[in-house]
Amino acid sequence: DVKVTQSSRYLVKRTGEKVFLECVQDMDHENMFWYRQDPGLGLRLIYFSYDVKMKEKGDIPEGYSVSREKKERFSLILESASTNQTSMYLCASRLPTTEAFFGQGTRLTVV
Amino acid sequence: TQLLEQSPQFLSIQEGENLTVYCNSSSVFSSLQWYRQEPGEGPVLLVTVVTGGEVKKLKRLTFQFGDARKDSSLHITAAQPGDTGLYLCAGGGRGSRLTFGEGTQLTVNP
């Protein structure tokens, strides 16, 4: 059973904190993605990675960074959390032309 | 940035009715995927369409890819409460990127 696992289902952080969201996949996929999901806006791509140590900005990278030191792990970092980063964060992985497999999501609240 | 527009954004119908959800873009996509998402979970793939004009059926769900590969539709026949969920279309473009539409929240009332 293929899996994408996100480290937390729910997180509450304070404004200004550095926040780490972790994602692990067990399918040996080259490509991994971080999206945020807000009502009425669908899934917006923050960053994606097509190989270890390789990354590319998505559509809304401001305020975020990522790290991919190992193929199976892709981390999203909020350098200084702000209230407008309160959202559902979804990690996904895929081979170049196949379906995307998603984690269960992390609902982050910044207070 | 390639954009996908879905309509309607919300749809509330009675069990047994038919419905169609649309996904449109001004850009050409190499493929288009439809996902369904339930509360508290990540999206799960329903179907991938690749060829312009392609039609795929999945039980009561019919998916169509436009001839020009810029648009797609999802038709559900005789909707059931179990069909309730958020339906998302996603277009494959440059590299491995997937661009998602805003989603259609479907509620099927018993």
Side-chain angles (χ1 to χ4, degrees), chain B residues 15-93:
Chain B
E15 183 176 0
E17 292 184 4
N18 301 332
L19 66 112
T20 302
V21 176
Y22 298 94
C23 177
N24 296 297
S25 176
S26 57
S27 304
V28 175
F29 288 95
S30 57
S31 64
L32 206 134
Q33 298 178 335
W34 285 92
Y35 291 79
R36 180 165 162 249
Q37 184 179 18
E38 300 196 26
E41 302 296 330
V44 176
L45 181 74
L46 294 172
V47 78
T48 300
V49 285
V50 177
T51 306
E54 183 176 1
V55 176
K56 279 192 175 179
K57 291 195 174 185
L58 190 66
K59 297 183 181 177
R60 293 176 294 99
L61 279 61
T62 301
F63 303 86
Q64 187 162 4
F65 201 12
D67 291 341
R69 291 186 289 131
K70 292 183 178 181
D71 56 88
S72 181
S73 62
L74 157 61
H75 182 79
I76 301 179
T77 303
Q80 299 176 0
D83 296 326
T84 293
L86 179 67
Y87 289 81
L88 294 154
C89 64

Side-chain angles (χ1 to χ4, degrees), chain A residues 4-104:
Chain A
V4 177
T5 304
Q6 294 182 228
S7 54
S8 304
R9 291 293 294 260
Y10 300 95
L11 274 179
V12 180
K13 296 292 181 180
R14 294 195 178 277
T15 301
E17 276 193 78
K18 191 169 186 175
V19 181
F20 293 86
L21 303 183
E22 308 285 345
C23 176
V24 177
Q25 52 100 357
D26 65 0
M27 293 165 282
D28 203 35
H29 287 167
E30 295 94 345
N31 303 293
M32 296 188 73
F33 306 81
W34 275 106
Y35 292 90
R36 65 176 281 176
Q37 183 174 31
D38 301 286
L41 296 177
L43 274 68
R44 292 180 292 166
L45 181 63
I46 304 171
Y47 267 97
F48 70 101
S49 169
Y50 47 91
D51 202 351
V52 174
K53 296 190 188 293
M54 307 301 286
K55 62 186 178 185
E56 191 166 323
K57 292 180 180 179
D59 299 318
I60 51 164
E62 296 78 19
Y64 304 94
S65 62
V66 290
S67 172
R68 191 157 179 211
E69 297 297 317
K70 293 185 178 181
K71 191 175 186 180
E72 66 270 18
R73 187 180 297 270
F74 191 34
S75 303
L76 179 69
I77 304 153
L78 286 67
E79 297 290 343
S80 177
S82 63
T83 54
N84 63 13
Q85 292 179 308
T86 291
S87 186
M88 169 70 86
Y89 290 88
L90 287 163
C91 174
S93 74
R94 71 188 294 233
L95 293 172
T97 58
T98 63
E99 71 179 284
F101 292 89
F102 284 85
Q104 76 276 32

